[in-house]
Amino acid sequence: MMKKILTAVLVTATFAVSAQVKKAPVKKAAPAKPAAAAISLKTSLDSASYAFGSSIGNSLQSTGLTALNYDILLKGIKDAFTNGKLIMDQSAAQRAIEKQIKKAGEQKFAANVTEGKTFLAKNKSAAGVKTTASGLQYQVIKEGAGAHPSAEDTVTVHYKGTLLNGKQFDSSYDRNEPLALPLNGVIAGWTEGVQLMTAGSKYKFWIPYNLAYGERGAGSDIPPYSTLVFEIELIKIGKAESSAPEQTGK
């Protein structure tokens, strides 16, 4: 009797194991990815072609772009180079380029944009600070008297410019020489702000990036998308007696 029971148990266990083995999924090996074909520069044309490609790539990368659809990029180069039919006209192509570069810049300098917006949102409620319709913020340090300049006027000013972190990038005070400049030839924040002033006044301005140097910045001292701080003293309204040197705000 005991022998029959053991035999029945062994048979049942064998079927159970067999069933589990049959149900186990069989893993298929992932297909091997084809290795990128090595490029051999056999001729001077090969070398020049690669050099042109890497040069174009470096130039595009310097705009802030991090990736492109390379197959379509090569298609565009080939169509233009072989006088093929272009699927975009020049104006549409220019708009597409500008849009993508702006998008890449906003992503790369997102911290600058956020810093400026956060600061201005808080600063607008500070004592004595006024905000114009354009987003320009200012505070009167000293009030003058008389007429206000127009955008077509030349004004003589003393000024100091800094980033939000306090880093100074320019100052006429340090040069001990006021500056004469046309108001319609400077950044929008200056053009608008100085027109609020009268001779003898001194204002402090906080200028959003879109009223300053925008997505391009200025040289190595003013990064793209920077909100700027200026203290400006309006000395005189009128034509300059001599040609003005290179100035900030331009």
Side-chain angles (χ1 to χ4, degrees):
M1 181 68 177
M2 182 61 68
K3 185 176 180 181
K4 290 182 179 180
I5 293 173
L6 290 174
T7 302
V9 170
L10 288 173
V11 170
T12 303
T14 300
F15 276 114
V17 171
S18 176
Q20 290 177 2
V21 171
K22 289 180 180 178
K23 289 181 180 179
V26 178
K27 293 184 178 180
K28 295 181 179 180
K33 295 182 178 179
I39 295 177
S40 178
L41 307 179
K42 298 179 179 179
T43 67
S44 60
L45 179 60
D46 293 343
S47 298
S49 298
Y50 186 81
F52 276 122
S54 61
S55 178
I56 292 170
N58 286 331
S59 178
L60 291 173
Q61 192 177 48
S62 70
T63 65
L65 295 171
T66 56
L68 288 170
N69 186 319
Y70 306 114
D71 291 336
I72 295 179
L73 171 66
L74 292 175
K75 170 66 174 171
I77 292 174
K78 185 176 181 180
D79 284 351
F81 201 78
T82 60
N83 296 317
K85 183 178 180 180
L86 301 180
I87 60 176
M88 297 177 73
D89 62 32
Q90 188 172 358
S91 60
Q94 187 62 36
R95 288 195 300 271
I97 289 171
E98 291 173 353
K99 181 179 180 180
Q100 195 63 29
I101 290 177
K102 183 177 181 180
K103 182 179 178 181
E106 287 174 345
Q107 292 173 344
K108 182 177 180 180
F109 297 100
N112 290 1
V113 177
T114 301
E115 178 188 33
K117 288 182 176 179
T118 302
F119 176 88
L120 293 171
K122 182 178 180 180
N123 191 58
K124 68 180 181 181
S125 59
V129 173
K130 297 180 181 180
T131 304
T132 70
S134 69
L136 175 70
Q137 295 183 356
Y138 70 96
Q139 183 181 50
V140 178
I141 299 173
K142 176 185 175 184
E143 194 63 273
H148 296 270
S150 69
E152 290 72 32
D153 282 329
T154 293
V155 295
T156 301
V157 297
H158 256 316
Y159 67 91
K160 179 179 75 171
T162 67
L163 303 177
L164 286 179
N165 62 12
K167 181 181 178 181
Q168 180 177 297
F169 53 81
D170 197 9
S171 173
S172 65
Y173 293 104
D174 289 352
R175 296 189 295 272
N176 196 30
E177 182 180 3
L179 183 67
L181 50 85
L183 271 186
N184 58 6
V186 291
I187 58 175
W190 269 59
T191 302
E192 179 184 357
V194 176
Q195 288 184 82
L196 300 172
M197 305 174 70
T198 56
S201 62
K202 184 175 183 179
Y203 283 21
K204 186 172 185 178
F205 294 97
W206 293 269
I207 304 179
Y209 75 83
N210 60 300
L211 300 177
Y213 294 98
E215 63 269 17
R216 299 183 185 278
S220 59
D221 294 325
I222 302 177
Y225 297 95
S226 291
T227 294
L228 304 181
V229 184
F230 279 99
E231 289 184 11
I232 303 176
E233 181 181 358
L234 179 55
I235 298 172
K236 184 177 68 173
I237 303 170
K239 298 295 182 181
E241 295 180 359
S242 61
S243 58
E246 196 69 27
Q247 72 268 356
T248 192
K250 204 167 185 178

